[in-house]
Amino acid sequence: MEQMQTDLGTRLDWVAVDHFNTGHPHSHVVIRGVDDRGKDLIIAQDYITAGLRHRAENLATLELAQETELEVARKLQAEITAERLTRIDRAMIQDLDASQSLDLRPASGQVRAEAEATLRLGRLKTLERLGLAEQAAPGVWTLSKDIEPTLQALGERGDIIKAMSRALSRRGQSRALETMVIDADGGGLTPKIGRVIDKRLVDELGDRIGLIVDGLDGRVRHVEVDGDTASEIKFGAIVETGARPTSRPADRTIAGLADGGVYRPSGHRQRLESGEMRLAPGANADDFVEAHVRRLEALRRANVVERLGTDIWHIPNDFQARAEAFDASQGRRAQVRLLSALDLESQITSDGATWLDRQLVGKGLPEAASQGFGGEVERALERRRGVLLRQGHATRTLDGGWRAKPDLLRTLERQEVAKVGAELANEKNLPFRVPEAGQPVKGRLADSIQLASGKFAVIEGNYDFSLVPWRPALERYRGQQIAGMMEPGGGVRWQLGRGRGLGI
């Protein structure tokens, strides 16, 4: 960068980061587009495309010395069997004729050193094994039209497997190659539960993050998510991964309610409140309808639907097909649901309602392997039982079994919320209030906080503050005044947006 400042005749304001997320470590440099005189920084295109690389090569040569012929030969020899796009491949692609053929016959008039011909023939044998090259006649080869994208995909796959191996080795573990699964889209419709053991940047420009998940079933998966999703998932978090279904339930509901091609959120809410349509236990009509409206907003930006008014949406006849096509166009990203922000060790001694507790009082774990994360979960469940017994939240049965007290999850949640609320009250110098069912919740949505029991909204009133269960619909109201009513199940019936004819 010092040399670049000399070349451009100005001091540069820049930052850089070194990346080791692929098999080839590299650096990214971001330069502020202003020179030391405060004017726009102008850099010639030739300098960006070739000059900067030339400068870097010269400096690297001064530091490391010129590569010897033996070193160059060794690197090229290693490329013969590589399952990625190599320099040999690029050189052969440049020499292809119009019929995608490469003529290596000595009588063809091509002048080439014998060593280079040997390298190419060796590489072509590898490409033939991969189904990317075929010998049409002695010395004449044809290359697949898909050779570049296929080799690039193979190289990416190799980088992912290396990243998965590194993540396991840092935990003192190793797995057979057949247990490593690259699930770009989440791996089918059956949800998979696991622990996040690493993250990797997949695409710097496309905001794609790879999560490496050690699954309950003994397999290690690599799934791709967007940056916003990945930012909320920490190492050790418990997640559920699964591909988006081909047809979303929300889309089917919207299509079914569209009367004459028109969907009305208010009509949808009325059917839910009247009992004509059923809600899942613990859900409320406002949140449910708002989820459908958010889906329509996303589809509106993709020109799938049209909003005709505050409470009127135009739904085309082929709505479901177009919605499915939109989802498919969003790239290879998995649907990932955060089950617990806490790692197993933190859950064992937690005061709140943890993911382990939900397994203890529910139907139990899906099929779990005895090795890896599956084995750790089984041991963690047993230790959690002991903690709950000592805390008085469970009892031993006459046959030596274990029984949780009624309403265990709700009791643990209230216990954790009360403890965290008291701690925040000291920080904020504001009284903490636990709203009961039927009481209003009013104030500014100041923040959100992740607890063992889940994510909670911090609502600050004039004289006190409260912690209430978080809903995704609240995200756009951060810093604003909101109001709602506590419901018996512990949820909140929010009344935002009533003036626009829509509540969330």
Side-chain angles (χ1 to χ4, degrees):
M1 295 306 295
E2 289 179 358
Q3 182 63 54
M4 188 176 181
Q5 291 181 137
T6 301
D7 292 343
L8 298 178
T10 179
R11 189 172 64 255
L12 299 174
D13 187 5
W14 61 274
V15 293
V17 61
D18 297 328
H19 278 173
F20 303 91
N21 59 305
T22 71
H24 305 280
H26 56 281
S27 300
H28 295 267
V29 182
V30 179
I31 304 173
R32 185 171 179 238
V34 177
D35 62 21
D36 53 10
R37 297 184 298 275
K39 297 182 179 180
D40 289 343
L41 178 65
I42 307 299
I43 305 177
Q45 182 66 40
D46 288 346
Y47 187 82
I48 295 175
T49 56
L52 190 57
R53 180 182 293 275
H54 180 68
R55 284 296 195 192
E57 288 176 349
N58 288 342
L59 290 170
T61 300
L62 287 174
E63 183 72 22
L64 303 174
Q66 189 77 34
E67 274 190 315
T68 66
E69 291 185 7
L70 182 59
E71 288 174 329
V72 173
R74 284 175 177 170
K75 289 182 179 180
L76 290 172
Q77 191 70 29
E79 291 184 1
I80 289 177
T81 57
E83 293 188 358
R84 58 178 174 81
L85 190 64
T86 68
R87 286 177 291 178
I88 302 175
D89 299 322
R90 293 190 179 95
M92 290 193 297
I93 290 170
Q94 287 181 348
D95 289 347
L96 290 175
D97 59 24
S99 61
Q100 289 289 106
S101 295
L102 187 69
D103 195 340
L104 297 181
R105 292 175 297 184
S108 65
Q110 298 177 5
V111 179
R112 180 174 295 110
E114 184 179 350
E116 184 177 352
T118 302
L119 286 172
R120 290 193 173 197
L121 286 171
R123 181 59 178 169
L124 286 166
K125 289 293 185 182
T126 298
L127 296 177
E128 184 179 35
R129 176 175 57 82
L130 296 173
L132 297 174
E134 182 180 359
Q135 188 168 202
V140 180
W141 293 79
T142 58
L143 300 184
S144 169
K145 294 181 179 179
D146 299 325
I147 183 172
E148 287 190 78
T150 301
L151 288 174
Q152 287 170 348
L154 284 173
E156 182 180 349
R157 179 179 180 275
D159 290 338
I160 291 173
I161 290 175
K162 289 177 183 177
M164 296 166 81
S165 298
R166 287 195 299 267
L168 288 167
S169 64
R170 283 196 292 268
R171 306 179 70 89
Q173 301 176 15
S174 62
R175 301 286 172 81
L177 185 61
E178 56 266 23
T179 66
M180 297 183 183
V181 182
I182 301 176
D183 276 350
D185 63 356
L189 299 180
T190 304
K192 306 292 192 304
I193 295 175
R195 170 180 58 195
V196 175
I197 60 174
D198 202 2
K199 299 181 186 180
R200 61 184 296 272
L201 194 60
V202 175
D203 180 1
E204 290 92 342
L205 300 179
D207 192 29
R208 285 161 51 210
I209 306 296
L211 301 181
I212 299 177
V213 182
D214 187 4
L216 272 176
D217 58 1
R219 295 180 176 271
V220 182
R221 291 180 171 79
H222 180 278
V223 295
E224 294 181 15
V225 297
D226 59 79
D228 291 338
T229 300
S231 65
E232 295 190 359
I233 300 176
K234 311 301 181 185
F235 289 173
I238 314 300
V239 297
E240 181 182 76
T241 66
R244 294 184 177 95
T246 55
S247 178
R248 297 194 185 196
D251 295 341
R252 295 195 294 270
T253 300
I254 291 169
L257 291 174
D259 184 11
V262 173
Y263 168 81
R264 295 179 181 271
S266 60
H268 190 178
R269 187 187 305 104
Q270 289 172 3
R271 294 192 181 197
L272 292 167
E273 292 174 342
S274 67
E276 183 179 345
M277 296 179 68
R278 300 183 65 179
L279 274 171
N284 67 63
D286 286 338
D287 284 350
F288 191 70
V289 172
E290 173 62 14
H292 289 69
V293 172
R294 289 200 306 273
R295 171 64 172 168
L296 287 172
E297 284 288 357
L299 294 174
R300 179 184 64 82
R301 291 190 290 271
N303 297 317
V304 175
V305 298
E306 182 181 1
R307 184 171 58 190
L308 303 178
T310 303
D311 191 43
I312 304 176
W313 291 82
H314 170 64
I315 309 300
N317 293 331
D318 58 348
F319 167 70
Q320 286 186 258
R322 293 175 65 181
E324 289 176 20
F326 166 73
D327 286 343
S329 70
Q330 294 308 290
R332 304 177 304 159
R333 292 182 180 175
Q335 181 177 0
V336 175
R337 185 164 69 98
L338 180 64
L339 300 179
S340 174
L342 300 185
D343 58 28
L344 287 179
E345 197 63 33
S346 300
Q347 291 184 54
I348 291 171
T349 57
S350 173
D351 294 322
T354 68
W355 174 76
L356 289 174
D357 298 321
R358 292 194 289 274
Q359 309 315 304
L360 289 172
V361 302
K363 297 179 180 179
L365 285 173
E367 184 177 352
S370 58
Q371 64 173 351
F373 180 59
E376 291 182 42
V377 169
E378 293 290 355
R379 294 188 289 274
L381 287 170
E382 188 58 38
R383 291 175 60 192
R384 181 61 175 172
R385 288 189 187 96
V387 170
L388 294 176
L389 285 167
R390 290 192 294 273
Q391 292 179 346
H393 295 301
T395 57
R396 287 288 185 190
T397 59
L398 294 176
D399 59 359
W402 179 92
R403 178 180 297 160
K405 288 190 173 180
D407 207 16
L408 172 67
L409 298 180
R410 181 64 179 151
T411 300
L412 290 172
E413 179 183 311
R414 292 176 67 91
Q415 173 180 285
E416 182 183 33
V417 168
K419 179 181 178 181
V420 174
E423 294 172 352
L424 289 175
N426 292 331
E427 296 178 12
K428 295 176 175 291
N429 197 24
L430 196 65
F432 171 63
R433 179 176 70 91
V434 179
E436 300 294 338
Q439 293 183 344
V441 178
K442 296 181 180 180
R444 183 176 68 90
L445 177 54
D447 202 355
S448 62
I449 184 171
Q450 185 71 55
L451 306 181
S453 303
K455 193 173 182 179
F456 287 77
V458 182
I459 311 298
E460 293 185 355
N462 293 327
Y463 306 106
D464 54 30
F465 76 96
S466 302
L467 298 178
V468 297
W470 178 265
R471 293 289 182 271
L474 295 175
E475 187 64 47
R476 56 177 165 165
Y477 293 97
R478 284 183 182 270
Q480 300 183 32
Q481 294 291 321
I482 60 175
M485 187 71 67
M486 288 298 299
E487 295 186 326
V492 182
R493 180 182 176 83
W494 295 108
Q495 298 171 342
L496 290 171
R498 288 294 187 187
R500 298 190 301 274
L502 175 63
I504 67 161

